[in-house]
Amino acid sequence: GRDAGEQCLKVDPNNSICHFWTAINMTLYGKEVGAFKMFFSLQAIRAHLNFVAEHAPSYAFGGAFRILGLIHQKLPGILGGDFEKAQDFFERAIHEAPEEPMNYLFLAKLLAENLNQPERPLMVGKKGLSVAPLPDDRFEGLEAKQELRALIKELKI
C-alpha cells in the first residue's frame, strides 16, 4: 500500500487521496517494522497529512486531522507528542465533519485519558451520539457510536 501510494504521487503529486492513503499505509508499515523505524518516516507521514488537511480537509470525514491528533496523543512529549495539539486536531476534525462520530470518540477519549477534564468527555461523547443516523455502510462511524455509548457508561460510573 505504501509503495502504491508513492507511485500514485509520482503520477499526480497534488492528489489529496493519494497523500492520505500513502500516510495511512506508511503508518501501517511502520507498525509492522517497529516504532524506531517508523519514527524516521514520521516527518513524511505528517507532510502527507498536512497536505490533505490543507487541500481536502473534509476527506475521510476529517481523517487527516484525526490521524495528526493521534500522532500527538500517542507520541511521548520528548518526541513531539502534545495532548493540547491532539485536542486541537480532533476539534478541527469535528469542525470539518461534524456528522462523523469517530471524531467525537477520539476527542472524548483524549479528554478522559489525558487532559483531566471530567465533564468535557461526557459532553463530547453525548454530542457524538446525537449525530444523524448513519447508513449501514459507514462501519467505522457505527462502531464509533457503540464505543461512545460504552465510554459514556464508563464515565458515568
Side-chain angles (χ1 to χ4, degrees):
R2 178 200 64 184
D3 295 343
E6 289 172 355
Q7 288 299 315
C8 176
L9 289 169
K10 286 180 182 176
V11 173
D12 187 358
N14 294 315
N15 187 315
S16 296
I17 296 169
C18 291
H19 279 281
F20 182 81
W21 289 106
T22 300
I24 296 299
N25 284 300
M26 287 175 76
T27 304
L28 294 171
Y29 176 75
K31 284 178 71 175
E32 291 298 315
V33 296
F36 184 73
K37 216 169 189 182
M38 184 178 164
F39 178 74
F40 290 103
S41 62
L42 196 54
Q43 185 175 355
I45 292 168
R46 283 182 167 158
H48 289 301
L49 293 170
N50 284 325
F51 184 93
V52 178
E54 183 178 336
H55 294 90
S58 61
Y59 180 72
F61 306 103
F65 294 116
R66 246 186 347 267
I67 303 305
L68 287 164
L70 274 177
I71 289 170
H72 277 286
Q73 182 180 2
K74 301 297 182 183
L75 269 182
I78 196 165
L79 298 177
D82 184 322
F83 293 142
E84 289 178 4
K85 286 182 182 177
Q87 179 178 350
D88 181 57
F89 280 119
F90 294 146
E91 287 172 350
R92 290 169 72 185
I94 290 169
H95 174 77
E96 289 301 326
E99 76 286 358
E100 176 52 57
M102 219 178 348
N103 295 333
Y104 297 93
L105 175 64
F106 283 42
L107 178 57
K109 282 183 171 183
L110 172 77
L111 294 170
E113 295 169 4
N114 302 302
L115 294 177
N116 196 24
Q117 299 178 20
E119 282 78 34
R120 187 121 190 267
L122 191 57
M123 180 187 73
V124 169
K126 287 180 180 179
K127 191 166 184 178
L129 286 178
S130 72
V131 301
L134 300 173
D136 291 342
D137 64 348
R138 292 268 308 274
F139 303 112
E140 290 177 322
L142 293 167
E143 188 175 281
K145 275 192 160 186
Q146 290 177 331
E147 287 187 53
L148 279 169
R149 284 185 196 94
L151 180 62
I152 288 171
K153 186 177 179 180
E154 180 182 314
L155 290 171
K156 286 184 175 180
I157 294 175

